Amino acid sequence: MNNIHIGHNIKRIREIQGIKQEAFGQMCRSRYSQQRISDFENMVALDEPLLAELSTALGVTPDFVKSFKDDNIIYNIQNNSNTFNDHAIDQSHSQHTKPTFNNDGAEKLIDLLEKFIEEDRVKTQSIAELSKAVLDLTLEVKKLKEER
């Protein structure tokens, strides 16, 4: 765990949830300023009580922050999106699976680009939906904690 930059992980989780530093600071029990949140996000290591407070404000556990990796999220999004696409349409006979170019290559290239644009739109929508789900969960956790 020596190569883990806890502050960076806090920052990425906050950004994925679409929370600004100032708002995040106000979500914390200690009501930190935007500058203080920025300071925390630049720190490689945080003491356990501070990590627990920041994690709680984000609606995650300290272990989640410690094990967070951007690569895992990108991998999951790509694989989930590809899984949806693979099961939604049988593309085994599609001309776009392995394109070949001949005299009508420009038309096929346009078709291929349109397919990539549509797949990108679907992936972007999936990311937006995942981000909203994370934010909704965060708000629900916060609401439950306030009710205690």
Side-chain angles (χ1 to χ4, degrees):
M1 293 180 63
N2 295 342
N3 296 333
I4 297 172
H5 192 298
I6 299 297
H8 175 77
N9 288 357
I10 291 283
K11 178 180 180 179
R12 289 298 297 135
I13 294 165
R14 175 186 59 75
E15 289 173 338
I16 288 169
Q17 292 184 24
I19 303 169
K20 300 279 186 192
Q21 286 179 330
E22 185 174 352
F24 177 46
Q26 294 307 302
M27 292 166 60
C28 295
R29 186 182 66 247
S30 299
R31 305 281 187 218
Y32 296 110
S33 68
Q34 177 275 322
Q35 182 57 53
R36 195 70 180 119
I37 294 297
S38 178
D39 293 343
F40 294 149
E41 290 178 351
N42 286 311
M43 296 171 72
V44 174
L46 301 172
D47 64 38
E48 287 300 319
L50 177 58
L51 176 58
E53 179 180 0
L54 298 176
S55 299
T56 298
L58 288 171
V60 297
T61 64
D63 287 338
F64 180 86
V65 173
K66 291 175 186 175
S67 64
F68 180 83
K69 289 187 176 75
D70 283 333
D71 294 344
N72 291 348
I73 291 191
I74 292 167
Y75 175 83
N76 287 335
I77 290 170
Q78 287 174 337
N79 285 328
N80 287 337
S81 180
N82 290 340
T83 299
F84 296 136
N85 286 339
D86 290 347
H87 293 296
I89 301 170
D90 178 12
Q91 297 178 348
S92 61
H93 299 92
S94 171
Q95 68 179 355
H96 302 298
T97 304
K98 296 180 184 172
T100 56
F101 296 97
N102 50 29
N103 291 341
D104 62 343
E107 198 170 290
K108 289 184 179 183
L109 180 58
I110 290 170
D111 290 343
L112 184 60
L113 288 173
E114 288 173 347
K115 176 186 176 230
F116 285 140
I117 289 169
E118 177 58 21
E119 287 178 353
D120 185 60
R121 187 194 64 74
V122 169
K123 286 180 182 180
T124 300
Q125 181 64 32
S126 294
I127 291 169
E129 290 171 2
L130 287 170
S131 295
K132 184 181 180 327
V134 168
L135 182 58
D136 289 346
L137 286 171
T138 300
L139 294 173
E140 189 64 32
V141 167
K142 185 177 178 184
K143 201 184 297 181
L144 289 171
K145 288 182 179 182
E146 288 173 353
E147 291 175 5
R148 287 187 193 173

